Amino acid sequence: MGHGGGGALSAELVEHLFAPAFGGRALSALADSAALELGGARLAFSTDSFVVRPLFFPGGSIGDLAVNGTVNDLAMSGARPAYLSCGFILEEGVEIALVARIAEALGAAARTAGVEVATGDTKVVEAGRGDGVYLNTAGIGLIPDGVDIRPQRARPGDVVLVSGAIGAHGVAVLSKREGLRFEVGIESDCAALGGLVESMLAVTRDVHVLRDPTRGGVAAALNEIASAASVGVELHERALPVPDAVANACSMLGLDPLYVANEGKLLAFVPRAEADAVLAAMRAQPLGAEAAVIGECVEEHPGMVVARTGLGGRRVVDLPLGEQLPRIC
Amino acid sequence: MGHGGGGALSAELVEHLFAPAFGGRALSALADSAALELGGARLAFSTDSFVVRPLFFPGGSIGDLAVNGTVNDLAMSGARPAYLSCGFILEEGVEIALVARIAEALGAAARTAGVEVATGDTKVVEAGRGDGVYLNTAGIGLIPDGVDIRPQRARPGDVVLVSGAIGAHGVAVLSKREGLRFEVGIESDCAALGGLVESMLAVTRDVHVLRDPTRGGVAAALNEIASAASVGVELHERALPVPDAVANACSMLGLDPLYVANEGKLLAFVPRAEADAVLAAMRAQPLGAEAAVIGECVEEHPGMVVARTGLGGRRVVDLPLGEQLPRIC
C-alpha cells in the first residue's frame, strides 16, 4: 500500500521503475505536471487516478477530488487549467444512481473550476475486482509567457507561504471512513486553486515553486522541493495554520497534521522581495484568506526540511515512507 | 458488464448520464477524441482506461494496449500523437516485477509510436479491490491545418475502407484467457496507427471519417458513424478480410468477427474520387498492406448498417448491446 502513498516508496517506484522504462525527460522533473511545447503553445499536462474510500465524505466526493486534484496539479506549474479527460472504472453491480451522483459532482466541480470535461471513457470490471468507482482524470492547461514554476527553482532566501489551514481533507475522509464523529465537524478543503494562482501571478510572474500538499502532506511536499532544488527548508512550526479541531482529531488518531493530505491548499516559494505583495494578493482571495508565511529556503542542510519547534528546538521533518492514510484521494 | 462494452449500453450511459452531468459540447460529438483549441494550437485529446484480462496475451500486453489504444484515438481525428499521461492502479500484493514488465512494454510501445510518456500517477488499492494492474492513459496530439475528421462528416458516395484483417485481438485475448489453443496461433493486431494515418493524409486532407474498430468491432464502429452522420452504410460482407484462423476460432467460440475488437485496424470513409489513391497509400505501409474496400456510404436507410451477404442476401448489422467479450482492452 505504501507504494501508492506519495512518499518515499512512491518516489522509488518512479525513479527506479517508471522513469527508466518510459525514458522520457518530463517524468524525471518530478513536478506535479509536465510542461510541454505543442503547436507553438506551452502546455501543462497532468494525470491522477482517484481511489478514495468512502466515495462521499464531509466537504466533497471522488468527483470533486477528480476535478480539483488534476486542476491543482496544472495550476502548480502556473498554467491556466482548460480541459479534462475522465475515465471511469466501475465495479459490476454499482448503482447507476451512485454513478450519476458522482458524475454530477464532477460536472459541478468542473464548472466551478472553469474547465471543460472534453473526453471520457467507461470500463466495467467484475464484482470483487474494483470498489464501486475508480476515476482517472488528465488535464491540459496553458502556461502564460514568462512563467517558469517548478520545484528546481527554489532558491535560498525564498519565503515559503501556505495558502491556508492544513490537515482537513485527510481527517475528514478518515473520520467518515471509520465512522468517527468529532464535536466540531471537519470538512475536506477540496477546492480548485487556479484562480488563487492567477491572483498571485498578477503580482509577479517570478513565483519560483508552487506545490499542493496532497498525499504525504506538507512534509512530503517540502521534502520533494528541498531535494529537487538541493536547498534546505526551515519550517516555522508555530506559524503553520492548524485548526484546533484538526489538531485535536489528529492527536486522537495518532496523526501528525504535517503529514496529512490537503486538497485545496498550496505551498509557494517566492523571492523575499515579492513575498509581502504575494501574501496580500492571496489573502484577498477566499481560498487564500488564511495564507501565512511558514518558513524560508536556506543554504544549510540541502535536501532537508528542518522544523523550528514551538519550544525553540529543531527537528528534521522526514519524507514519509508511505502514507499514514491509504486511499485518501 | 454491458455498460463497459462500448455498445448500445455504453452509448446510453454517455448520452443520458455523463453528457448532461458534464455539460460540455465536446463529449456529445461522440468522436474517439475531442478536438480543442488552446494557445492557438488545434489539439486532439483522448483517454481510455485498460482493464484487459489477462495482462499479457499473444501479440501484446496491457502496456501495449494502453499506448496504442490512446494513440489510435488521437490518430482517428487526423492528429499526430505527441504526449501520453499514464495512471497505474495497482492491487496490493501485485509483484513489482510484473509492474516493471508492463512499464517496459508501455515504454517500448510509446517509442514505437513516437510519443512521449510525459506525466504519471500510481495508486494502490487493497487486495481484492482490483485485479493486478489497471491502467489509464490520456493523450494529446496536434491536428494539422485543413484536417477535419469526425463521424459526422460521412457522406453518401463515400467509400468505406478497412486497413487490414479483422478479429485477431479479441480472439487472441479470449483464447489466452480461456486457455484455448488453436492449430494456427492467433496474435493480437495491437499497433499504433499514427504513421498509417499520416500516409493517408499525405494523399488528401479530405478524409471524412476515421475510426478504430475496438470494443464492439467493425459493427459498432460503422453503426456509430451511420448514426452520427445520419447516413446509411452498405457493407460488402465478402470483401471483409477475415483470416481463416480467426473465422474458425470465431465459429468455434460462437462469435461473429464483425463484433470482435481490433486494436491495430482502422476504418476510413473517403470521397470516391480519392479512394483508389488512399487505398494505394495504405497498402504501401506495413500496417495497411491488406487494406480493402469493404463498403460504401448511401442515402438509403440512414443510421443503419446493412450487409450484403455472400449469397446475395441483405441483413441489418445491429449495434451490439454490450460486448461479446468483457475486459477485452
Side-chain angles (χ1 to χ4, degrees), chain A residues 280-299:
Chain A
M282 291 170 78
R283 287 184 172 160
Q285 297 287 322
L287 291 174
E290 295 175 81
V293 173
I294 58 163
E296 61 213 313
C297 191
V298 298
E299 278 181 33

Side-chain angles (χ1 to χ4, degrees), chain B residues 49-320:
Chain B
S49 297
F50 298 87
V51 297
V52 67
R53 188 166 56 86
L55 296 167
F56 288 81
F57 47 81
S61 71
I62 190 172
D64 299 285
L65 277 180
V67 170
N68 296 331
T70 293
V71 159
N72 291 348
D73 283 347
L74 297 173
M76 296 307 113
S77 64
R80 181 189 281 235
Y83 295 103
L84 292 185
S85 68
C86 177
F88 281 75
I89 298 179
L90 306 179
E91 185 187 11
E92 188 185 14
V94 68
E95 297 215 9
I96 295 283
L98 178 69
V99 179
R101 274 177 70 206
I102 290 169
E104 279 154 24
L106 196 152
R111 284 187 288 279
T112 301
V115 294
E116 186 181 336
V117 181
T119 184
D121 175 60
T122 308
K123 293 291 191 303
V124 181
V125 296
E126 300 88 346
R129 301 291 186 182
D131 198 2
V133 178
Y134 296 147
L135 281 180
N136 176 283
T137 50
I140 321 178
L142 197 62
I143 304 176
D145 288 337
V147 168
D148 178 21
I149 299 175
R150 51 196 163 87
Q152 290 78 1
R153 287 199 68 219
R155 290 283 171 278
D158 283 356
V159 172
V160 182
L161 307 172
V162 68
S163 64
I166 66 167
H169 176 73
V171 171
V173 171
L174 189 67
S175 62
K176 173 77 176 177
R177 189 190 298 169
E178 306 298 338
L180 304 175
R181 277 182 165 280
F182 301 109
E183 253 174 83
V184 185
I186 298 172
E187 295 210 335
S188 167
D189 60 342
C190 189
L193 298 170
L196 180 63
V197 170
E198 270 190 66
S199 72
M200 297 165 72
L201 292 177
V203 174
T204 174
R205 303 226 147 174
D206 196 26
V207 171
H208 289 170
V209 186
L210 292 172
R211 194 87 169 185
D212 55 337
T214 55
R215 285 182 291 176
V218 169
L222 291 180
N223 267 283
E224 283 159 14
I225 295 164
S227 164
S230 291
V231 295
V233 173
E234 292 259 340
L235 181 66
H236 308 164
E237 205 160 40
R238 274 192 302 190
L240 263 178
V242 182
D244 286 344
V246 168
N248 292 339
C250 280
S251 88
M252 241 185 71
L253 297 164
L255 299 174
D256 181 339
L258 259 183
Y259 291 86
V260 173
N262 311 275
E263 293 291 341
K265 295 298 178 307
L266 63 80
L267 301 169
F269 284 55
V270 295
R272 183 165 300 278
E274 313 278 7
D276 287 345
V278 172
L279 188 64
M282 293 170 77
R283 286 184 172 159
Q285 297 287 320
L287 291 174
E290 297 176 81
V293 174
I294 59 163
E296 61 211 312
C297 193
V298 296
E299 278 182 37
E300 294 77 46
H301 51 80
M304 273 173 67
V305 179
V306 174
R308 282 198 237 141
T309 64
L311 301 169
R314 289 158 64 90
R315 67 174 175 111
V316 173
V317 177
D318 275 331
L319 183 63

